[in-house]
């Protein structure tokens, strides 16, 4: 074809595609709006799709032409970037059945084709480049759109493919948990798939053995695929790079180890199935076809997942060959071509790395002969481990072992550092390599162990209690290797050390020992020792305090225990005494941090440095002949045993308790000597699991942090006599064959996590004196067989477990302490056990309530065997809450004891005070005698107390006032005397029957029982009356007598008020009358009628009463009337005293109307008085006294009249006041007296009549006077009449004078009015004259014509005015 025509054809095709893009874009938008699922799938295609280089993709043009010829409805929207070789497509796949839309698109294409003929044609090279860019991007994206819209795909993967199986499983899981991330589920599925690839991995490893061990092992197959017409040649980027391998070096300060690391950009490790490969090979090994990108939509839609999302850390970028999750045998990819397996999965030709440079998967053993893979694991896999040191230790030990097998010590120093990093024990590496030497002795490993166990240490600077002589240590080590392991040729070192020791024995040995002791004295501040006898003298040192020598006068014993030795630095001396056997420096303040000076004491058997302040590490077996070693209560942080030490076969007793040792138990028990009988590790920070090696007789490891199962002591240490593992974290069960420990005397397993039941075999330990199983999780019941220990047990502690059931009765016979708290045992405990002083729950209100013991005492003191009812009392197991008459709260504390009318006798026991929670105590209607115990004051919660109708005597205890919660108290019916105390802060008493005692009268005692707070008092006749205050007392008055004085004052005040009101009212009426009469009130005429007023007053006060004398002027009459009034008041006063509510006063006539029966808590009123009696009383009193009260009021009103003289007005006032007073006072007295003694409707009337008889005393005395001498009365009446008439005349005279004054005032007022009128007339005349003058000036002609008439008129007016004035003046005169 001509190039020009080809260019025109390309341009036309380009324009046609642009037109179709616009049409399809509109359809895409509408489809997205209507199909959300399509929208979601299309959004997945927004990622950039990179195109291959143009020259490699020209042949795709034919593919595009063939697709167009097939008529596929596919279009692409894309953006071309002319500045780069990349095309950024946005693919869209549309299916639209709308006919109008297709027609419009077809028309637009035809128009474009017509206009294409006139378009400027580009050159062939330019047109080919643009068109090729377009086609290269369109073809794969069109295929992806077909997959996105469900039109089928071109990828074909077998269902047996590991990748497809894995993704199918993942897809089924994701449908169940759509909201969970897919990546979070990947690890577990990967592990499942990895387990299926074990055989493939082994096969690959076998094939690797035939290849060279270079960092990169190239394959025989070429990595560049052969050329083919159907595909372009491979890009240079597909060939693996040949960069040099990496290396990883350790950061150890002791050694520098370097391992080559596989270059993951150029090769893959076969041990991980090439999962670590990150190179750029991207073609199939079979046919060389290019791989499809892992994030392409074609792969994503086929599998249903985005593979880079599923495998985010497996390098799935671009289209490079990978093996994600090790799901295949080697690295591969997905290509458009069909592989030999018949699908699109292809393997890639990735080179194999050197196995020694490949790190196995974390946690996988190193199967190679070299140590580098394990070293790489240690450097890579332990970064996120919980215990980094332990993680590295495992890998590096494996690396060290492989290096030792090949004859080198590579990685061994690193392994020692890592394994002992957390330990902190100086001998940790020694133990590790010594164990390796024992397991596989060789010159290399044993030499390494000797170097680790016997390092070269400077004694002057080292701060640990360890070996300081390398020669001696190695001599002992190689002796052990030779004698025990049968290996080694270094026994001459032992002879060397022995010869050195012999050479040190010089002739000056004795002088040297003294010098060393003197240095000891100086270093430990001997001048402050408690006893330094001989130490400051030049005498023989064998005579010094604490020093003992042998027959040769050499030191064999140094004992300075508790002698105030102090030291703050390392010793300057070397305490290498040749014959020293015993060293006792315990209980001082020695800060020994270096024991190098003690190494040459080859005969030392006894070392006691307890209770000092030594620190660092302690090597227990450093003295060859050691038997006893005690460094307890110091500050050591680590300790241990070395198997090669000579003391390993001599030591018997070791005490390392109460230090700061923080090691794993395995490190301490690793080399435990077989001769050890006593070992104490208590009170340290030791952790880990207990081993199976223990001392023979005594083992104490309490208060540490060891965990794990409880060891099988009955079979591993059957001779144990002392076992103390308290307060640890041990688990498991107590062995059932514990009876094998027949000599065991102490067993302490407290404070652990032991479970299940307590074996009954413990009862067979006949020597057991101390048993402590507290603070565990032991369950079920207490074995009855444990009762066999009753004769030997001193401590029996099963507290703080989950034991259930009842406590065996036999436990109550134990002589020692019995501790059972913190369990779920059935309550209460046996009664006998509750009497044991060693029982820890003796004060437990649930297990062994003290109330039960108190009630037992109460039972016997009140002769319980004679009770009417005593069900369940004194039972061994039944709670006292089930005893008859006893009730308890939820905590089994006694709250009620009700034994009313139950034939109790004897005395009330003092143990009643133990019932601290009791609220209700009813012992009424029994035959209890004696006094009430003072312990009753301890019942602080008592609210109900009923001791009535017994035979209690003497006084109430003073402690009774402590019962502040009392609300109900019945003490009547006894013989209690004195005073009943009552708390001031007691609860308010609810009703009249709340507090009853024998405080009433008559009493059987001379002094009545005093009870200020009682609500009801009873007398000796069992009659009662409430003590509640009366309404009068509630008002603030003490009693009726106190109120009487207020009554008097109130009555006088009322009379005065009435008088004042009457007077004011009279004044008001006078002003009204004066105003109507236009006169002053004082000028009003006073009409006095003395006879009438006197008669009115006499009628009001009574003509037949001596009170009439109050109206007269006779002094004897007034005296007689006042005497009569006084007598009446005195008689009524007696009734007032008899009405007082004083239950302790015999003078009171108060009637006790209440009865309090024995069988009830309430009291009843026996009075029959009701409202009808009070109504009759009111009628009777009103009819008799109302007249006097009215007449008295009238007389007070009469006393306010001005028409009477002052003296007479005073007589009227007093007469009326006395009349009212006697009437109202009689009414008051009758009312209160009836309230006190009236018990029926008839008795209230009787009492009223008696009082009314007293009110008639004035009339009866008047009749007596009339009988004696009537003239006394007549004379007084005459005097009263004369005095009345004189008063009337006096008043009339005053009235006349007042009227005269009024007339004078009126005359004066009239004169003033006339003068005022005259002034007004003069003013008026002046006005008229001025008016006339003005009028005359206006009418002058008229005046002249009528001058004479006018003048006459004026003169006449003037004369008339003058006449008027004269008349006025005359009138005024």
């Amino acid at each position: 074809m001509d190039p020009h025509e080809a260019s025109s054809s390309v341009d036309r095709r380009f324009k046609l595609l642009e037109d179709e893009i616009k049409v399809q874009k509109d359809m895409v938008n509408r489809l997205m709006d209507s199909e959300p699922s399509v929208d979601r799938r299309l959004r997945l295609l927004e990622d950039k799709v990179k195109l291959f280089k143009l020259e490699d993709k020209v042949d795709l043009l034919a593919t595009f032409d063939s697709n167009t010829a097939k008529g596929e409805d596919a279009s692409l929207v894309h953006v071309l970037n002319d500045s780069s070789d990349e095309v950024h497509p946005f693919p869209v796949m549309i299916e639209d059945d709308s006919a109008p839309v297709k027609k419009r698109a077809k028309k637009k294409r035809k128009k474009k084709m017509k206009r294409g003929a006139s378009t400027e044609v580009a050159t062939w090279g330019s047109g080919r480049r643009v068109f090729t860019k377009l086609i290269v991007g369109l073809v794969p994206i069109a295929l992806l759109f077909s997959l996105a819209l469900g039109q089928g795909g071109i990828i074909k993967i077998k269902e047996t493919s590991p990748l497809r199986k894995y993704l199918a499983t993942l897809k089924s899981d994701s449908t169940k948990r759509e909201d969970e991330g897919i990546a979070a589920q990947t690890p577990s599925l990967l592990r499942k798939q990895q387990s299926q690839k074990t055989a493939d991995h082994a096969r690959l490893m076998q094939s690797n053995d035939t290849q060279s061990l270079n960092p990169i092992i190239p394959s025989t197959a070429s990595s560049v695929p052969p050329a083919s017409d159907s595909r372009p040649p491979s890009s240079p980027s597909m060939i693996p790079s040949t960069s040099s391998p990496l290396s990883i070096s350790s950061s150890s300060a002791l050694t520098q180890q370097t391992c080559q690391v596989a270059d993951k950009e150029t090769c893959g490790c076969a041990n991980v199935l090439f999962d670590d490969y990150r190179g750029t090979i991207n073609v199939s090994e079979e046919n060389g076809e290019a791989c499809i990108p892992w994030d392409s939509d074609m792969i994503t839609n086929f599998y249903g997942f985005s593979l880079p999302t599923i495998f985010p850390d497996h390098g799935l970028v671009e289209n490079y060959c990978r093996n994600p999750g090790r799901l295949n045998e080697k690295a591969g990819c997905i290509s458009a071509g069909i592989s030999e397996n018949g699908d699109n999965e292809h393997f890639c030709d990735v080179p194999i790395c050197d196995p020694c440079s490949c790190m196995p998967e974390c946690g996988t053993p190193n199967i190679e002969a070299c140590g580098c893979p394990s070293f790489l694991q240690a450097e890579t896999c332990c970064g996120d481990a919980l215990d980094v040191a332990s993680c590295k230790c495992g890998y590096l030990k494996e690396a060290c072992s492989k290096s030792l097998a090949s004859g080198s010590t590579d990685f061994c120093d690193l392994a020692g550092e890592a394994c002992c990093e957390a330990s902190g024990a100086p001998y940790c590496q020694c133990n590790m390599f010594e164990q390796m030497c024992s397991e596989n002795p060789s010159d290399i490993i044993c030499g390494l162990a000797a170097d680790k166990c016997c390092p070269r240490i400077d004694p002057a600077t080292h701060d640990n209690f360890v070996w300081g002589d390398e020669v001696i240590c190695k001599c002992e080590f190689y002796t052990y290797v030779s004698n025990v392991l049968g290996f080694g040729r270094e026994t001459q070192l032992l002879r060397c050390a022995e010869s050195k020791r012999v050479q040190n024995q010089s002739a000056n040995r004795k002088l040297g020992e003294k010098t060393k002791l003197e240095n000891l004295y100086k270093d430990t501040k001997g001048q402050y020792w408690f006893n330094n006898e001989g130490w400051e003298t030049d005498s023989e040192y064998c005579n010094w305090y604490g020093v003992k020598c042998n027959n040769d006068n050499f030191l064999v014993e140094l004992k300075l225990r508790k002698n105030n030795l102090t030291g703050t630095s390392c010793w300057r001396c070397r305490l290498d005494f040749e014959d020293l056997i015993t060293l006792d420096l315990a209980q001082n303040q020695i800060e020994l941090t270096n024991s190098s000076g003690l190494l040459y004491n080859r005969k030392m058997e006894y070392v006691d440095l307890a209770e000092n302040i030594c620190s660092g590490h302690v090597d227990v077996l450093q003295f060859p002949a050691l038997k006893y070693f005690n460094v307890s209560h110091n500050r050591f942080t680590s300790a241990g045993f070395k198997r090669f030490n000579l003391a390993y076969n001599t030591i018997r007793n070791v005490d390392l308790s109460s230090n700061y040792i923080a090691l794993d138990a395995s490190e301490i028990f690793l080399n435990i000597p077989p001769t050890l009988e006593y070992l104490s590790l208590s009170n340290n920070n030791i952790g880990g699991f207990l081993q199976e090696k223990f001392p023979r007789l005594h083992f104490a490891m309490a208060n540490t942090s060891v965990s794990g199962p409880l060891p099988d002591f009955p079979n591993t240490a059957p001779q144990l006599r002392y076992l103390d593992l308290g307060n640890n974290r041990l688990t498991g069960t107590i062995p059932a064959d514990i009876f094998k420990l027949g000599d065991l005397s102490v067993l302490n397993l407290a404070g652990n996590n032991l479970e299940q039941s307590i074996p009954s075999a413990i009862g067979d330990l006949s020597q057991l004196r101390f048993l402590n199983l507290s603070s565990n999780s032991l369950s079920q019941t207490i074995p009855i067989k444990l009762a066999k220990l009753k004769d030997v047990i001193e401590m029996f502690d099963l507290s703080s477990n989950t034991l259930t059931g009842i406590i065996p009765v036999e436990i109550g016979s134990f002589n020692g302490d019995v501790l059972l708290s913190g369990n779920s045992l059935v309550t209460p405990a046996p009664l006998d056990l509750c009497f044991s002083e060693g029982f820890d729950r003796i004060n437990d209100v649930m297990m062994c309530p003290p109330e039960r013991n108190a009630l037992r005492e109460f039972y016997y003191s009140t002769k319980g065997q004679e009770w009417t009812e005593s069900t369940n009392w004194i039972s061994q197991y039944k709670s006292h809450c089930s005893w008859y008459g006893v009730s308890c709260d939820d905590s089994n504390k006694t709250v009620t004891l009700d034994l009313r009318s139950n034939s109790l006798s004897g005395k009330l026991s003092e143990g009643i005070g133990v019932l601290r929670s009791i609220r209700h105590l009813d012992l009424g209607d029994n035959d209890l005698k004696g006094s009430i115990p003072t312990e009753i004051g301890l019942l602080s919660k008592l609210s109900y107390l009923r001791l009535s109708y017994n035979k209690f005597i003497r006084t109430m205890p003073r402690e009774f006032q402590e019962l502040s919660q009392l609300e109900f108290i019945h003490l009547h019916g006894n013989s209690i005397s004195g005073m009943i105390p009552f708390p001031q802060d007691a609860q308010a008493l609810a009703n009249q029957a709340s507090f009853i005692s024998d405080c009433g009268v008559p009493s059987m005692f001379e002094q009545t029982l005093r009870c200020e707070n009682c609500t009801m008092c009873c007398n000796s006749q069992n009659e009662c009356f409430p003590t509640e205050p009366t309404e009068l007392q509630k008002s603030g008055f003490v009693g009726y007598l106190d109120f009487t004085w207020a009554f008097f004052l109130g009555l006088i005040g009322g009379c005065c008020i009435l008088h004042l009101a009457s007077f004011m009212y009279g004044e008001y009426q006078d002003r009204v009358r004066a105003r109507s009469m236009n006169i002053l009130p004082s000028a009003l005429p006073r009409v006095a009628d003395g006879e009438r007023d006197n008669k009115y007053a006499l009628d009001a006060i009574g003509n037949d009463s001596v009170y009439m004398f109050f109206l007269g002027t006779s002094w004897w009459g007034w005296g007689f009337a006042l005497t009569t009034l006084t007598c009446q008041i005195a008689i009524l006063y007696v009734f007032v005293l008899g009405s007082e509510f004083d239950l302790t006063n015999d003078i009171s006539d108060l009637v006790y109307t209440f009865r309090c029966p024995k069988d009830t808590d309430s009291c009843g009123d026996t009075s029959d008085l009701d409202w009808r009696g009070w109504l009759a009383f009111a009628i009777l009193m009103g009819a008799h006294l109302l007249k006097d009260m009215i007449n008295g009021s009238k007389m007070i009103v009469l006393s306010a009249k001005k028409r009477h003289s002052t003296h007479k007005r005073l007589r009227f006032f007093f007469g009326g006041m006395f009349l009212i007073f006697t009437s109202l006072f009689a009414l008051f007295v009758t009312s209160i007296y009836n309230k006190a003694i009236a018990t029926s409707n008839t008795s209230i009337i009787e009492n009223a009549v008696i009082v009314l008889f007293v009110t008639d005393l004035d009339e009866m005395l008047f009749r007596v006077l009339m009988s004696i001498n009537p003239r006394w009365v007549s004379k007084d009446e005459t005097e009263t009449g004369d005095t009345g008439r004189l008063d009337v005349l006096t008043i009339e005279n005053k009235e006349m004078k007042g009227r005269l004054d009024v007339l004078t005032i009126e005359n004066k007022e009239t004169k003033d009015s006339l003068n005022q009128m005259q002034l007004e007339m003069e003013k008026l005349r002046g006005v008229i004259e001025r008016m006339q003058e003005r009028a005359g000036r206006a009418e002058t002609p008229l005046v002249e014509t009528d001058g004479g008439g006018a003048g006459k008129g004026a003169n006449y007016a003037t004369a008339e005015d003058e006449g008027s004035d004269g008349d006025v003046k005359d009138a005024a005169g």
Side-chain angles (χ1 to χ4, degrees), residues 958-974:
R958 183 175 53 186
E959 290 76 10
F960 186 76
Q961 63 183 355
E962 303 296 330
L963 305 180
S964 59
Q965 302 294 325
L966 277 175
E967 299 177 359
F968 186 93
I969 311 167
H970 279 193
L971 301 175
H972 58 288
N974 288 285

Side-chain angles (χ1 to χ4, degrees), residues 16 43 125 149 205 383 465 562 697 794 809 833 865 904 963 1186 1364 1372:
L16 287 175
R43 281 199 301 269
L149 296 177
M205 295 305 299
F465 200 65
K562 204 174 183 180
L697 302 180
E794 298 176 3
V809 178
L833 183 59
Q865 61 274 16
L904 276 69
L963 305 180
L1186 188 59
S1364 300

Side-chain angles (χ1 to χ4, degrees), residues 994-1011:
S994 297
F995 190 2
I996 307 175
S997 69
D998 296 324
C999 54
V1001 291
S1003 174
M1004 64 177 59
F1005 299 100
E1006 182 178 355
Q1007 294 292 333
T1008 306
L1009 177 66
R1010 289 178 296 166
C1011 183

Side-chain angles (χ1 to χ4, degrees), residues 10-11 13-15 17-18 21 49 51 54 76-90 126-138 141:
V10 169
D11 291 338
R13 289 188 178 187
F14 183 76
K15 292 182 179 299
L17 287 174
E18 285 183 341
I21 286 172
V49 179
L51 300 177
L54 181 62
L76 301 172
V77 179
H78 62 279
V79 180
L80 296 177
N81 189 352
D82 294 334
S83 62
S84 66
D85 292 333
E86 293 184 349
V87 177
H88 304 277
F90 181 80
S126 174
R128 182 178 180 276
R129 182 169 61 254
V130 172
F131 184 72
T132 303
K133 280 186 177 183
L134 175 65
I135 298 305
V136 167
L138 292 180
I141 296 174

Side-chain angles (χ1 to χ4, degrees), residues 578-754:
E578 182 67 23
D579 296 327
L580 183 62
I581 298 175
T582 300
L583 176 64
D584 188 353
L585 302 178
Q587 297 180 343
N588 287 289
Q589 295 293 318
I590 300 174
E591 297 183 13
L592 179 62
T593 57
N594 189 343
S595 64
S596 61
L598 304 175
L599 294 178
Y600 299 98
N601 297 292
R602 312 304 288 173
K603 296 181 181 180
M604 186 95 75
E605 297 180 359
Y606 183 99
V607 176
D608 192 346
L609 297 174
E611 298 185 41
N612 282 282
I613 49 178
C614 303
S615 59
H617 172 76
V618 55
D619 194 346
V620 178
L621 304 178
Q622 60 180 307
F623 308 112
L626 189 63
K627 296 180 180 179
Y628 179 93
F629 188 75
N630 184 1
V631 291
S632 62
H633 296 88
N634 278 279
R635 299 177 181 177
F636 291 113
T637 56
S638 61
F641 308 93
K642 292 180 180 178
R643 187 182 306 180
F644 60 85
N645 291 144
L646 298 179
Y648 185 77
N649 298 313
T650 62
I651 192 69
R652 296 289 184 271
N653 190 310
V654 175
D655 191 347
L656 300 173
S657 61
S658 300
N659 278 282
Y660 301 151
I661 299 175
L663 297 175
D664 191 274
S666 60
E667 298 178 355
I668 296 179
F669 288 92
L670 179 63
N671 295 320
I672 186 170
T675 59
L676 192 62
E677 296 178 350
Y678 179 104
L679 176 62
S680 179
L681 298 171
S682 300
N683 302 314
N684 282 289
N685 297 323
I686 302 172
F689 293 168
L690 286 177
Q691 308 302 309
E692 294 297 332
K693 297 180 180 180
F694 305 100
R696 293 190 301 112
L697 302 180
H698 184 112
F699 179 48
M701 199 171 180
N703 300 315
T704 65
S705 300
V706 293
S707 57
L710 181 68
D712 187 11
F713 289 104
N715 296 308
T716 57
Q719 299 178 352
L720 272 177
R721 298 176 183 175
Y722 188 102
L723 179 59
D724 185 0
L725 295 175
N727 298 323
N728 285 290
R729 303 174 184 174
L730 300 175
T731 58
T733 62
I734 302 175
D737 57 351
I738 195 172
F739 62 88
K740 294 180 180 179
L741 301 175
D743 296 330
L744 193 65
S745 62
V746 173
L747 177 60
N748 181 15
L749 299 177
N752 288 284
N753 297 316
L754 303 178

Side-chain angles (χ1 to χ4, degrees), residues 223 225 234 238 281-285 288-291 321 333 347-349:
S223 60
S234 300
M238 299 178 188
I281 297 176
N282 57 2
V283 295
S284 170
E285 180 182 13
E289 290 189 2
C291 301
C321 297
C333 66
F347 288 116
C348 299
D349 188 12

